[in-house]
Amino acid sequence: MSDELTLLAEAGAAAVVAAMATDLWQGTRDGVLGLFRRDAPDSAAPVGARLDEGAALVRTSAAPDDVRRALAGTWARELHELLRRDPACRVPLARLTAEVDGVFASGRTAVALEQNNTARDSGTVFAVQHGDIHTTRGAGRATRRDPDDGPQ
């Protein structure tokens, strides 16, 4: 394997783990799964499970950067092996890496937030992240108002 492909595998791994637990994660995850699916369609499920496990570790860790560093080595090996088996994955992996790196360089990414809401018995939950929610009794529905829409 050439040094160029080794460096690409390492850069790809760094991008993958950097995207974990950010708003880039789902697109990055899908891109990585697409690469593995090209090489071996049956490998997508186990690769997806490993990606999800890593993202969960990052999301729940008190030291997410330490977890990312540990995961980077694992994903560098996975991507290195993928590139060895299918060198045609080079271009899409380079593109995915550049996209993730570009978003981080621009500062347009944020940590993903998770919200869990539960209504029990005859309860109703109206929930929102990043904005306001206004409800009207008796109307039978709730409406969400985007604060950027101006006054109501």
Side-chain angles (χ1 to χ4, degrees):
M1 168 108 356
S2 74
D3 289 340
E4 178 187 352
L5 293 182
T6 299
L7 291 173
L8 176 57
E10 291 171 354
V16 168
V17 299
M20 289 178 173
T22 72
D23 57 356
L24 292 177
W25 177 238
Q26 193 59 51
T28 303
R29 179 189 184 278
D30 292 346
V32 171
L33 285 178
L35 292 171
F36 280 91
R37 198 174 289 120
R38 280 174 57 146
D39 174 58
D42 295 340
S43 71
V47 169
R50 289 192 303 276
L51 287 166
D52 293 339
E53 288 169 11
L57 285 171
V58 170
R59 193 173 41 256
T60 59
S61 174
D65 289 336
D66 293 341
V67 175
R68 284 185 175 102
R69 276 190 288 280
L71 291 171
T74 300
W75 283 105
R77 285 186 298 279
E78 292 267 357
L79 292 171
H80 186 272
E81 183 60 26
L82 172 70
L83 292 170
R84 187 191 63 73
R85 287 189 314 266
D86 186 1
C89 288
R90 179 188 174 279
V91 172
L93 178 58
R95 187 179 308 119
L96 178 66
T97 300
E99 288 172 8
V100 171
D101 290 348
V103 172
F104 278 112
S106 72
R108 294 178 302 186
T109 188
V111 173
L113 300 176
E114 183 175 321
Q115 177 174 305
N116 297 302
N117 304 293
T118 305
R120 298 214 192 305
D121 302 320
S122 297
T124 303
V125 172
F126 299 102
V128 66
Q129 288 182 345
H130 309 295
D132 298 324
I133 189 167
H134 301 276
T135 61
T136 305
R137 286 243 181 245
R141 65 177 186 215
T143 58
R144 179 179 186 272
R145 188 176 82 72
D146 190 339
D148 296 332
D149 288 345
Q152 254 186 333

